[in-house]
């Protein structure tokens, strides 16, 4: 069955630095979604990518969908303390939405 | 507009006890999901329901049952709770495939 893997599992970042988290699927995805979960909260939708090679930006966040639609990345520039949380990618396969293990981001002031 | 509502928010069970986690959405969404979240494991799909009247197993269905009572409600039942089922449980709903999922606030379950 489909598996969605994320790396790294943990990311310690100095405030102001950039970082990237990666998502890889064992199968081709129809689309990929990214979510953010603040500590103690629930996942909240950030963005969806559908097209091969698609790139979308939300302020300091850049999302990319691979050409083969089997991988994706989230790049955050100039990290702020508000970026703290766990970032999940999720792949949709025939109506079954499966999440990666997430990247937990800790920001040091 | 409440979105996705889960009850209860917290629960402590003894091993062997049963309980039902309730989930209701008021967004007229077709698909509903139950996930469990454990440290380092992300969100693992337990069961999902693509539409009213249908349910399917996810990655970790053992020890659980579900009921899609109507379009609004999707419940998760633990028949005989085990300590391994200690987790945070999230319900989510989606209007249609390939559209964002909305999550409830979660149920923190401890089995002792």
């Amino acid at each position: 069955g489909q598996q969605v893997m994320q790396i790294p599992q943990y990311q310690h970042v100095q405030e102001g630095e950039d970082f990237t988290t990666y998502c890889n699927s064992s199968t081709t995805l129809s689309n990929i979604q990214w979510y953010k979960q603040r500590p103690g909260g629930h996942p909240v939708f950030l963005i969806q990518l559908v097209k091969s090679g698609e790139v979308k930006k939300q302020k300091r966040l850049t999302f990319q969908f691979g050409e083969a639609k089997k991988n994706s990345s989230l790049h955050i520039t100039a990290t702020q303390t508000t970026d703290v949380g766990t970032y999940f990618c999720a792949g949709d396969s025939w109506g079954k939405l499966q999440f990666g293990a997430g990247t937990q981001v800790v920001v040091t002031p | 507009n409440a979105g996705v509502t889960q009850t209860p928010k917290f629960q402590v069970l003894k091993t062997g006890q049963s309980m039902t986690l309730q989930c209701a959405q008021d967004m007229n969404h077709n698909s509903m999901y139950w996930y469990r979240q454990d440290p380092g494991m992300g969100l693992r799909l337990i069961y999902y329901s693509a539409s009213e009247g249908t349910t399917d197993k996810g990655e970790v269905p053992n020890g659980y049952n579900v009921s899609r009572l109507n379009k609004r409600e999707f419940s998760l039942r633990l028949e005989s709770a085990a300590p391994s089922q200690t987790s945070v449980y999230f319900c989510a709903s989606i209007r249609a495939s390939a559209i964002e999922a909305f999550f409830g606030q979660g149920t923190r379950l401890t089995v002792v």
Side-chain angles (χ1 to χ4, degrees):
Chain A
Q2 172 193 309
Q3 287 189 334
V4 179
M5 293 151 285
Q6 267 185 271
I7 54 170
Q9 189 174 3
Y10 298 100
Q11 182 77 56
H12 291 258
V13 190
Q14 197 87 21
E15 193 173 10
E17 289 183 339
D18 302 352
F19 77 91
T20 303
T21 176
Y22 300 90
C23 180
N24 295 292
S25 171
S26 57
T27 60
T28 302
L29 300 169
S30 56
N31 67 82
I32 196 156
Q33 301 176 9
W34 285 89
Y35 293 77
K36 178 182 178 180
Q37 183 180 27
R38 294 183 186 276
H42 61 278
V44 175
F45 176 82
L46 292 176
I47 208 161
Q48 178 179 269
L49 304 171
V50 179
K51 299 177 183 175
S52 169
E54 189 170 13
V55 178
K56 288 188 177 180
K57 292 189 175 183
Q58 286 182 350
K59 298 182 180 177
R60 295 178 296 101
L61 278 61
T62 301
F63 303 84
Q64 189 165 4
F65 202 8
E67 292 291 339
K69 300 183 74 172
K70 295 179 75 172
N71 56 73
S72 181
S73 64
L74 160 59
H75 181 77
I76 300 182
T77 58
T79 304
Q80 299 177 358
T81 54
T82 54
D83 295 323
V84 164
T86 301
Y87 293 82
F88 293 97
C89 63
D92 181 283
S93 177
W94 301 101
K96 188 192 296 188
L97 190 61
Q98 291 193 245
F99 285 76
T103 294
Q104 185 178 344
V105 177
V106 176
V107 181
T108 307
Chain B
N1 189 352
V4 180
T5 303
Q6 287 184 238
T7 55
K9 287 187 170 52
F10 300 94
Q11 183 71 48
V12 179
L13 288 178
K14 293 182 178 179
T15 297
Q17 285 186 317
S18 62
M19 80 160 296
T20 299
L21 281 63
Q22 307 286 353
C23 176
Q25 52 90 9
D26 61 3
M27 297 173 282
N28 201 36
H29 287 176
N30 294 319
S31 302
M32 298 185 73
Y33 299 76
W34 276 106
Y35 295 90
R36 61 177 288 173
Q37 184 173 32
D38 304 292
M41 303 292 287
L43 292 156
R44 291 185 291 170
L45 182 63
I46 306 172
Y47 271 94
Y48 68 105
S49 170
S51 61
E52 185 180 353
T54 67
T55 60
D56 287 286
K57 294 179 180 179
E59 304 166 72
V60 288
N62 292 343
Y64 305 95
N65 285 302
V66 290
S67 294
R68 183 74 184 267
L69 304 170
N70 46 56
K71 194 170 186 179
R72 289 187 67 247
E73 298 171 290
F74 189 37
S75 61
L76 178 71
R77 182 159 178 85
L78 286 70
E79 290 291 351
S80 178
S84 60
Q85 294 178 304
T86 293
S87 188
V88 180
Y89 291 84
F90 286 102
C91 175
S93 72
I94 303 178
R95 178 168 59 84
S97 182
I99 303 295
E100 67 178 282
F102 291 83
F103 282 81
Q105 297 296 316
T107 295
R108 283 155 177 76
L109 175 68
T110 302
V111 183
V112 298

